[in-house]
Amino acid sequence: MKKSLLILLAMMGMISACKKGDKTNISDNPFFNEYDTPYGVPPFDKIKAEHYMPAFQEGIVQQTNEINAITESKDSATFENTVEALDFSGELLSKVSLVFFNMVSAETNDELQEINVTVAPLLSEHQDNIYLNEKLFARIKKVYDNRVSDSLNMPQIRLTEKYYKNFVRSGVLLDEKQKKHLREINKQLADLYIKFGDNLLAENNDFKLIVDKEDDLSGLPESVKAAASEQAKTDSMPGKWVFTLQKPSFIPFLQYGENRAIREKLYKAYINRGDNDNKNDNKKIVISIIKLRLEKAELLGYKTYADFKLEETMAKNPQNVYNLLNTIWEYAIPHAKDELAQMQKIADVEGAEFKLEAWDWWYYAEKLQKEKYNLDEEELRPYYKLENVREGVFMVANKLFGISFSQIIDIPVYHPDVTAFEVKDADGSYLGVLYVDYFPRPGKRAGAWMSNYREQYVKNGVDIRPVICNVGNFTKPTEDIPSLLSQDEVNTLFHEFGHALHGMLTKCSYKGISGTNVATDFVELPSQLMEHWATEPEVLKMFAKHYKTGAVIPEELIQKIQNSVAFNQGFMTTELVSAALLDMDWHTLDKIENNLDVNAFETRVKNKIGLIPEIEFRYRSTNFNHIFGDDGYSAGYYSYLWSEVLDADAFELFKENGIFDQATATSYRQNILEKGDSDDPMNLYIQFRGAKPNPEALIKNRGLK
C-alpha cells in the first residue's frame, strides 16, 4: 500500500520533500516535530504553505502503515489492538489537517485554496482505503460482536459501535465494482464541496456597494457610517462609504437605512450569492452534489440521502424531522403574517404607498420594535463592547463551573486579530487553550463557528488537553470607536462559546467520541443553551457596561430587552424552518429530473409550505454553505431546532433552581459537557434532566404560543 501511494504522489510531482533520505525540508517542517510552543499549540509563526503537502503525504503514509500493522497482526482482535489502535492512528495526518482546514476557513489565500483542491481527492481516497478495508473491518466486527461478552465499558462499546457502523455506512459490504463507483462519487463530492465554498467566498469578497453621497446614508447610526468610512479607506477610497456582504456591514443598513433602493440592492446581493450566472455560480454544483448524494445513498441501500444521513442521529428518519418542522411551522407562519401586517400599517401611516418587500423587513421591524417596546437596538451597542461581552461569558462559565480564563501574550497566533487564553479548572488544573478570532476579513468565510486545533483524548495514561478556537465575523472597531456588538452578535458569541465549553470540558479517553464529536442534532444543545444567559438580567449587569462611562446597563434597558425577547420571532422562526425544509426537500428526493432547476425547485418548496414572499429562506441553495460547502449539516439543518427543544427544556431547570445553581451546573457538566459521545445522547440528556425533553419548551421559548 505504501509503495503504490508514494508512486501516485511522485507521479503528481508532489513528494520531493518527503522522499526517504531527504531530510532538508522535513527538519524545517513544523509538522514533523513536536511543537516547541507554549501549551504545545501550533507554531503559526513558522508554518508556511509549503509545509502542508509534505505533511499530508507523510501523514497518509504513516496512517497507512499503522492500519497495515493492525490488519497484519497475528493476535486475535481485541478492543485495544484494533478499535483503540485505529482511534489513535493518524496522529501526523490529524495534526496537519486540523491546522490546514482551520486556516482554509479562517485565513485562506490562493495558495491554500490550490492545496485544498490537490489534497481533497488524496484524503478522500485515503479515507476510502481505511473504511473499505475488508481485513480491518473483519477485526472491527469481531470486537463488535464480542463487545458485551468481553465486558467492554460503555465508552468502549460506544466507540466500537461507532466504528462498526461507520465502516458499514462507508460501503465495506459492497462488492468491488460498487466500491470502485463509491470511491469515484466520494472524490467528486470532495471536489464539489471545495468549489462551492470557494465560489461563495469569492461572491462575498467581490461585492462592494460604494456610496459617495452622504444623503444616501440617512437614518444610519454614526457608528455604522464610521465603519463604512473605514472600509472605504481600506479599499483606497477615502471620502466615500463602502458596504460589503459581511453581516456587520449590510444588516445595519437594512435596519436603519432610509434609502430603499440601496436596501434592495444590498439585500438582493446577499440572497443571490452563487446565483448570478457568473464564474462563481453555484447552481450546477448544487445539482451535481444532489445527484451524487442520491447515487451514493442508493448504492448503500437507502431510498434517499436523508434516510442515510439521519440514521445515526437523534431524529433517526426524515418523517420525524418533518413532524418537528411542520409543527413549528404551524405556529411560526401566522406570527410572521401578523408581524408583517403590523409593519405594513406603520408604512401606510407614514405614507409609504408601497407593499412591503423582503428588503423592507429589517427596516420596519426596527420601527415596530420602537413602537411596541420603545427599544432601539442602537441603544444597546454602547453597553456591548466586545471585550466586555467576552469577559461576561467567561464570568458566566466561572460562576457555573469554576473555570477561569487568563490571556496568553507570548503565544503564536495566525492573525493579529486572534487572542489566546489559558483555561483552568476550579482546582487550578489545566483544561486547554482557547483562541478567539472575531472580525471579518477577505480570507475568512462568513458566519461563526467553533473548531479544534487539537482534540482531547487520553493516551498512555496522559490526558491530552484540547486547543479550541471560536471564530466570528462581528462588528469591527474603527479609529474612534471600539467593537460594539449588536444583540444578535452578543447571542452568537455566547452560542459559539457554548460549543467551546463542550470541546474544552470533555473528559473522554478516545478522540472518536470526545468533545463535539456527537450527532448534529445534539451538538447544538450546549451552544444554544449558553445563549439563554446572554439576556438574563443578572448576567447583563455583570458585563453590559457603557464603553465610555463604565456605567452598568440601566434597569429600564434590561426590562426592554426582557420584554422584547420574543419580538420578531415569527420572522426568525419562519426563515429558519423554511431553510430546514428546503434542506430536507433536497435530500428526500428519490429521483432527479433531467432538467432539475435550482430556482424552480426553491419556488416549488415555497409554494408547498406557503412561505410568504416578504420572507426568504435563511440561506438559498446557492449560498447554503451548511449543506453544500461540506457534508456536515446536509439533511441536518433542522438540528438547530431539534436541539432547541433540548436547550429550552434544559434552561427551564436552571430557571427553576437558579441560573447559577451549582448542583444543576455540576450535573450538566458531568452528564453532557464531559461525556462527548460516550453514550446515547438521549440517555445523557435524561441523566441530566431526569426526563425526556418537553417539545412544548421550544414553542414557549420563542413566544409562539
Side-chain angles (χ1 to χ4, degrees):
M1 190 68 180
K2 177 181 176 181
K3 182 177 180 182
S4 62
L5 180 62
L6 287 171
I7 292 172
L8 169 65
L9 295 172
M11 288 173 64
M12 297 175 67
M14 299 187 298
I15 77 158
S16 59
C18 65
K19 288 179 183 175
K20 187 176 180 180
D22 182 355
K23 303 293 184 182
T24 306
N25 290 334
I26 288 181
S27 63
D28 296 331
N29 190 323
F31 294 116
F32 287 94
N33 304 291
E34 289 292 322
Y35 291 157
D36 185 19
T37 57
Y39 310 97
V41 302
F44 296 110
D45 53 335
K46 296 178 181 178
I47 295 172
K48 299 177 182 177
E50 63 258 29
H51 294 143
Y52 289 113
M53 277 310 304
F56 272 122
Q57 294 152 5
E58 180 61 21
I60 289 172
V61 170
Q62 286 187 13
Q63 189 171 30
T64 299
N65 290 338
E66 291 163 348
I67 298 300
N68 288 341
I70 296 172
T71 59
E72 293 168 9
S73 172
K74 303 301 182 183
D75 297 330
S76 181
T78 65
F79 175 83
E80 288 75 14
N81 69 19
T82 301
V83 176
E84 185 179 75
L86 176 58
D87 195 63
F88 287 152
S89 71
E91 187 173 333
L92 174 58
L93 188 57
S94 175
K95 190 176 179 181
V96 61
S97 295
L98 288 172
V99 174
F100 177 76
F101 290 110
N102 275 304
M103 289 300 95
V104 167
S105 294
E107 185 61 8
T108 196
N109 54 45
D110 292 344
E111 201 168 2
L112 293 189
Q113 288 176 318
E114 289 176 9
I115 295 171
N116 199 12
V117 171
T118 301
V119 79
L122 297 181
L123 293 176
S124 174
E125 180 181 13
H126 177 60
Q127 180 166 304
D128 284 340
N129 287 340
I130 294 174
Y131 283 99
L132 298 178
N133 186 322
E134 293 179 8
K135 290 177 67 177
L136 180 58
F137 176 66
R139 293 181 66 89
I140 295 286
K141 186 177 185 303
K142 184 171 183 180
V143 180
Y144 174 82
D145 291 341
N146 297 332
R147 64 193 186 283
V148 176
S149 60
D150 285 349
S151 301
L152 300 186
N153 61 36
M154 180 52 70
Q156 291 172 332
I157 290 174
R158 187 75 176 170
L159 186 67
T160 300
E161 292 176 341
K162 198 168 187 177
Y163 273 119
Y164 176 82
K165 291 174 183 177
N166 284 346
F167 271 83
V168 174
R169 288 166 53 78
S170 296
V172 72
L173 299 179
L174 300 177
D175 62 35
E176 288 307 312
K177 183 179 179 181
Q178 291 171 320
K179 287 179 181 177
K180 183 178 180 181
H181 185 36
L182 182 61
R183 286 175 180 271
E184 185 56 37
I185 290 174
N186 289 339
K187 285 183 181 179
Q188 290 181 51
L189 284 171
D191 182 52
L192 289 168
Y193 297 153
I194 292 171
K195 288 180 180 177
F196 184 96
D198 287 350
N199 285 348
L200 184 54
L201 180 63
E203 289 279 90
N204 284 328
N205 289 336
D206 288 351
F207 178 87
K208 293 185 189 301
L209 190 147
I210 303 166
V211 176
D212 52 17
K213 297 178 182 177
E214 190 162 7
D215 287 348
D216 289 337
L217 305 177
S218 180
L220 295 182
E222 289 303 318
S223 61
V224 177
K225 293 181 184 178
S229 176
E230 287 287 323
Q231 184 64 53
K233 291 175 185 176
T234 300
D235 295 339
S236 301
M237 289 182 279
K240 298 184 179 182
W241 297 266
V242 171
F243 294 87
T244 71
L245 297 183
Q246 297 287 354
K247 283 193 172 182
S249 180
F250 81 88
I251 289 292
F253 202 109
L254 294 181
Q255 281 182 288
Y256 301 104
E258 295 175 4
N259 190 313
R260 189 170 185 246
I262 293 181
R263 293 204 309 268
E264 179 181 1
K265 189 171 183 179
L266 279 169
Y267 177 79
K268 286 184 174 178
Y270 180 75
I271 66 164
N272 289 330
R273 291 170 300 156
D275 184 22
N276 292 305
D277 297 318
N278 57 13
K279 64 180 181 179
N280 301 321
D281 198 273
N282 273 333
K283 291 193 289 293
K284 290 182 180 179
I285 293 176
V286 167
I287 299 300
S288 295
I289 289 173
I290 290 299
K291 286 181 177 179
L292 288 167
R293 283 177 174 169
L294 178 56
E295 204 173 333
K296 178 175 180 175
E298 291 176 337
L299 193 60
L300 293 169
Y302 297 86
K303 181 180 179 182
T304 72
Y305 196 70
D307 287 290
F308 167 68
K309 279 300 295 286
L310 293 170
E311 184 179 53
E312 292 303 308
T313 65
M314 294 185 76
K316 301 301 181 186
N317 60 66
Q319 191 56 55
N320 288 337
V321 174
Y322 277 117
N323 289 344
L324 173 70
L325 296 179
N326 290 332
T327 298
I328 300 170
W329 184 260
E330 290 176 4
Y331 287 99
I333 195 67
H335 274 263
K337 290 177 179 178
D338 182 58
E339 291 163 1
L340 176 62
Q342 294 179 62
M343 294 188 297
Q344 185 69 60
K345 185 177 179 180
I346 291 174
D348 293 344
V349 169
E350 292 180 348
E353 297 185 352
F354 56 76
K355 180 178 177 292
L356 296 188
E357 302 281 358
W359 50 89
D360 297 313
W361 195 290
W362 282 268
Y363 183 72
Y364 284 96
E366 191 66 27
K367 288 177 178 286
L368 181 59
Q369 184 168 238
K370 289 178 184 177
E371 181 179 285
K372 292 186 71 172
Y373 305 106
N374 193 27
L375 176 61
D376 180 349
E377 290 237 354
E378 284 302 301
E379 291 181 81
L380 303 178
R381 280 189 187 268
Y383 295 95
Y384 289 160
K385 182 181 176 182
L386 172 70
E387 291 77 7
N388 291 347
V389 177
R390 186 188 66 204
E391 290 306 310
V393 80
F394 287 172
M395 286 188 279
V396 169
N398 179 260
K399 291 196 72 170
L400 285 170
F401 311 116
I403 62 178
S404 60
F405 300 79
S406 304
Q407 186 173 346
I408 312 168
I409 303 300
D410 188 20
I411 193 171
V413 295
Y414 57 87
H415 190 276
D417 288 345
V418 179
T419 307
F421 295 88
E422 179 188 31
V423 187
K424 288 186 176 180
D425 212 336
D427 61 2
S429 59
Y430 171 68
L431 285 172
V433 170
L434 172 66
Y435 284 101
V436 296
D437 174 10
Y438 289 139
F439 302 129
R441 52 181 176 267
K444 182 193 287 188
R445 69 176 174 87
W449 62 93
M450 165 268 179
S451 189
N452 302 67
Y453 284 101
R454 183 171 64 235
E455 295 192 275
Q456 181 272 332
Y457 61 104
V458 177
K459 190 171 185 179
N460 299 325
V462 178
D463 185 8
I464 309 298
R465 297 310 304 168
V467 176
I468 308 290
C469 63
N470 270 175
V471 185
N473 284 276
F474 301 147
T475 302
K476 295 178 67 173
T478 65
E479 289 183 0
D480 304 316
I481 305 174
S483 174
L484 302 177
L485 305 187
S486 67
Q487 184 65 61
D488 182 64
E489 289 174 326
V490 171
N491 295 344
T492 300
L493 190 150
F494 271 69
H495 177 105
E496 298 306 333
F497 184 77
H499 283 309
L501 286 176
H502 201 185
M504 187 70 66
L505 297 181
T506 181
K507 288 186 176 180
C508 295
S509 297
Y510 310 106
K511 292 181 185 179
I513 57 173
S514 76
T516 57
N517 290 314
V518 300
T520 54
D521 49 11
F522 187 65
V523 77
E524 297 299 333
L525 164 60
S527 56
Q528 293 178 175
L529 180 61
M530 183 55 57
E531 287 187 57
H532 290 273
W533 276 272
T535 53
E536 283 293 309
E538 183 179 349
V539 176
L540 286 166
K541 292 175 184 178
M542 289 162 51
F543 74 84
K545 300 176 182 178
H546 199 285
Y547 79 100
K548 285 184 178 179
T549 67
V552 175
I553 189 169
E555 290 285 350
E556 179 187 5
L557 266 183
I558 292 177
Q559 190 59 52
K560 288 180 181 180
I561 294 171
Q562 293 295 297
N563 293 342
S564 63
V565 163
F567 174 71
N568 208 31
Q569 277 297 329
F571 167 78
M572 288 189 279
T573 308
T574 296
E575 66 159 9
L576 173 58
V577 175
S578 62
L581 287 167
L582 175 64
D583 170 33
M584 287 302 297
D585 280 7
W586 274 122
H587 292 105
T588 50
L589 288 174
D590 57 8
K591 62 178 181 296
I592 307 296
E593 306 164 10
N594 291 331
N595 59 344
L596 182 59
D597 177 82
V598 169
N599 292 330
F601 184 85
E602 290 185 351
T603 299
R604 288 202 298 271
V605 175
K606 289 178 182 179
N607 292 340
K608 182 183 73 171
I609 64 178
L611 180 62
I612 58 178
E614 295 82 5
I615 298 179
E616 183 58 80
F617 300 116
R618 175 170 289 187
Y619 301 105
R620 289 196 50 225
S621 304
T622 56
N623 49 66
F624 209 157
N625 203 53
H626 285 77
I627 67 172
F628 292 122
D630 57 38
D631 198 31
Y633 280 77
S634 60
Y637 197 64
Y638 77 92
S639 297
Y640 292 98
L641 292 156
W642 190 280
S643 293
E644 189 176 336
V645 172
L646 304 177
D647 78 69
D649 182 71
F651 195 66
E652 285 191 356
L653 182 62
F654 277 99
K655 291 288 283 185
E656 290 167 10
N657 298 334
I659 63 170
F660 290 115
D661 177 66
Q662 290 301 289
T664 308
T666 299
S667 175
Y668 172 60
R669 175 176 179 171
Q670 292 177 345
N671 290 302
I672 305 291
L673 297 178
E674 292 182 356
K675 290 294 180 68
D677 195 34
S678 59
D679 200 347
D680 180 87
M682 188 57 75
N683 290 342
L684 295 177
Y685 187 82
I686 292 172
Q687 288 167 21
F688 157 65
R689 188 66 166 97
K692 289 185 176 182
N694 180 2
E696 288 289 314
L698 180 149
I699 304 299
K700 178 182 175 183
N701 181 58
R702 287 182 172 256
L704 298 176
K705 187 176 182 180

